[in-house]
Amino acid sequence: FEDSNEDIVTRAWDLSKRILIYCLDHEIDSDIETPVRNHIKFPGIPKIVKPADYLKRKNKVLINKRKRDFDESFLEQSSNKAAKVPVKVRVQEDEHARKFAVKSSSEQFVDKPEKKKPKVKDTSASSSRPANEQEKYLATSPSSTMGNLPQSSFPRVDSETEKRVIALVEKEGSSLTLKDISSRCLVPSTHVYAGRQTDKIVATGKLERSVQAVGAALKALGNGGNVNEAKAVCEPQVLKQLTKWHTRLRVYISPFIYGSRYSSFGRHFTKVDKLVEIVDKLHWYVEPGDTIVDFCCGANDFSRLMKEKLDEVDKKCHFKNYDLIQPQNSFCFERRDWMTVQPDELPGGRQLIMGLNPPFGVKAALANKFIDKALSFKPKLVILIVPKETKR
């Protein structure tokens, strides 16, 4: 349960009513304090076939099938009446056109196979066929129609149409700017920090050169060099600049530095037992007809517990729950950004109770933003779970 001096890493935790233990067969990564993820095996994954091999086999099957169909059709035609010949030819042509389209798409990967003449057994039926009918059949066979098939499924574009398209693209491209596109992309209120562009804070090229300079200085010191030699490859100003960049980027790199503290989506839901305590204290202030708004409902447990308590004391109220991610409990839920809700969509302030647990953000910046939005509706009561930086 605790680290020791004998190279034993914590791999068990007492979670009140249960104990979580990582399997002893897997090593613990000391940096992120979780097992090394190299042991997961996924069964039943089919072998990936390379496109060239796949097309080559497919083309071979099509060629053999086409040859077999041609032989059978020719033998059958030789035993039937001459009146049935055009029907069989049309069927064979349609089938060949479909196969040829598949074959033409694979020619860039597979060499074109040599055409082989169909081998037909010498039967009495075929030998009795008139020579002029056999010549007519061979003249209309699939091999004679291959030259008439289209080489591409795309329509041909004349030069005039191509010029008009190019002119249209240039005209629209000149009038479209990155600022216009950015103005149309609305970032959710909970993603304000992710919406900032890191390339405007730190230039990637400068950062890479600074890191390389520090690496060279460390290598020089490791090889027995003195401080002056290290300063020659990495000036002190470079270290000061890296410190400034670290301060500016700490919001972005925190998940990598403190990976074990971060959960999925960075979402932390209030425990149900705490919500029960809040409901027990809050229901005394609620009057029939009030609207209880949870502007960041998370798992949406608060409104459910509140309704159960109010039903016990015979108080009929309304509920509104907002969030960006759909919860499993969809009671009175609306998937929406809280910052887009307008005053005319909710009742007056005398019938409004708002809460509960907004996202905090760096130095409670997001929490303050959510609170300011809630106060714009002038509710009669606001109940919050927030850090001390929101005190006002």
Side-chain angles (χ1 to χ4, degrees):
F1 288 91
E2 296 179 358
D3 296 343
S4 68
N5 297 328
E6 301 176 359
D7 296 333
I8 297 178
V9 183
T10 302
R11 61 168 65 241
W13 294 265
D14 189 356
L15 306 178
S16 64
K17 296 182 180 180
R18 66 185 64 182
I19 294 177
L20 175 65
I21 304 177
Y22 281 140
C23 179
L24 297 174
D25 293 338
H26 306 296
E27 298 180 1
I28 297 291
D29 191 326
S30 59
D31 294 332
I32 60 176
E33 300 180 357
T34 57
V36 179
R37 290 165 174 80
N38 59 355
H39 58 280
I40 301 177
K41 303 291 188 300
F42 294 97
I45 298 180
K47 185 179 180 181
I48 300 176
V49 182
K50 295 182 179 179
D53 298 339
Y54 172 74
L55 292 172
K56 193 171 184 179
R57 289 201 304 272
K58 188 174 181 180
N59 192 50
K60 184 178 180 180
V61 172
L62 289 175
I63 293 171
N64 294 336
K65 185 179 179 183
R66 183 170 60 200
K67 179 178 178 299
R68 184 177 67 252
D69 292 344
F70 181 79
D71 293 346
E72 293 176 356
S73 177
F74 188 81
L75 290 174
E76 186 177 352
Q77 289 296 330
S78 62
S79 61
N80 293 336
K81 294 181 179 181
K84 296 183 180 179
V85 172
V87 178
K88 291 293 182 179
V89 171
R90 284 197 298 272
V91 173
Q92 186 68 14
E93 286 176 354
D94 294 341
E95 185 176 2
H96 180 76
R98 176 177 59 81
K99 295 175 181 177
F100 182 78
V102 176
K103 177 187 172 184
S104 61
S105 64
S106 63
E107 285 180 349
Q108 55 180 327
F109 298 99
V110 184
D111 294 334
K112 215 170 185 180
E114 297 181 358
K115 297 180 181 179
K116 297 181 181 180
K117 296 182 179 179
K119 297 180 181 179
V120 184
K121 295 182 179 180
D122 187 12
T123 60
S124 58
S126 61
S127 60
S128 62
R129 188 187 186 101
N132 57 350
E133 289 187 9
Q134 292 184 10
E135 292 176 358
K136 179 180 179 182
Y137 178 81
L138 293 175
T140 57
S141 63
S143 60
S144 63
T145 60
M146 287 181 65
N148 299 328
L149 292 176
Q151 297 297 323
S152 174
S153 60
F154 295 101
R156 293 184 177 180
V157 180
D158 55 20
S159 58
E160 186 64 26
T161 304
E162 185 177 356
K163 291 179 181 178
R164 290 204 308 268
V165 172
I166 294 175
L168 181 62
V169 171
E170 291 178 351
K171 178 181 178 182
E172 294 297 326
S174 60
S175 61
L176 191 63
T177 62
L178 182 60
K179 186 177 180 180
D180 297 334
I181 299 175
S182 301
S183 62
R184 299 175 186 175
C185 300
L186 299 178
V187 180
S189 57
T190 55
H191 300 167
V192 290
Y193 294 101
R196 297 177 182 175
Q197 296 182 0
T198 56
D199 56 351
K200 291 184 178 180
I201 300 176
V202 178
T204 306
K206 291 183 179 179
L207 179 61
E208 292 177 351
R209 289 193 294 270
S210 299
V211 172
Q212 292 174 359
V214 173
L218 291 174
K219 186 177 181 180
L221 293 174
N223 294 333
N226 53 34
V227 178
N228 293 330
E229 293 178 356
K231 287 182 179 181
V233 294
C234 179
E235 300 178 356
Q237 189 64 29
V238 174
L239 297 178
K240 293 181 181 179
Q241 186 62 49
L242 285 174
T243 305
K244 292 180 180 179
W245 286 338
H246 179 272
T247 303
R248 293 183 181 181
L249 294 175
R250 66 178 182 273
V251 176
Y252 299 95
I253 63 179
S254 289
F256 303 96
I257 299 177
Y258 312 105
S260 57
R261 301 183 188 177
Y262 281 75
S263 62
S264 178
F265 296 106
R267 309 176 81 216
H268 304 272
F269 303 141
T270 310
K271 294 183 179 180
V272 176
D273 55 345
K274 299 298 180 183
L275 294 175
V276 172
E277 295 181 21
I278 296 173
V279 169
D280 290 338
K281 293 184 178 182
L282 180 61
H283 82 276
W284 297 104
Y285 301 92
V286 180
E287 299 176 357
D290 285 348
T291 299
I292 301 174
V293 179
D294 191 344
F295 44 62
C296 192
C297 64
N300 204 16
D301 292 325
F302 173 66
S303 293
R304 176 182 57 84
L305 296 172
M306 196 70 195
K307 186 179 186 308
E308 293 175 358
K309 187 66 177 180
L310 294 176
D311 288 344
E312 293 177 3
V313 297
D314 197 20
K315 291 183 179 180
K316 303 298 180 182
C317 297
H318 308 285
F319 296 87
K320 283 281 190 179
N321 305 307
Y322 302 100
D323 209 320
L324 295 175
I325 300 178
Q326 177 75 36
Q328 186 175 3
N329 175 24
S330 59
F331 171 68
C332 296
F333 175 79
E334 183 177 351
R335 186 173 181 178
R336 189 173 177 185
D337 187 351
W338 166 240
M339 296 300 166
T340 63
V341 181
Q342 302 302 320
D344 57 352
E345 300 179 44
L346 295 175
R350 293 184 178 181
Q351 293 182 311
L352 277 182
I353 297 176
M354 291 187 169
L356 172 72
N357 188 1
F360 294 169
V362 180
K363 296 182 180 179
L366 273 179
N368 278 316
K369 193 175 181 181
F370 270 68
I371 295 172
D372 291 338
K373 179 67 176 179
L375 293 178
S376 66
F377 293 88
K378 299 181 180 180
K380 68 176 182 179
L381 184 62
V382 178
I383 178 168
L384 299 166
I385 302 175
V386 288
K388 60 182 180 180
E389 288 86 355
T390 58
K391 188 176 181 179
R392 59 188 72 190

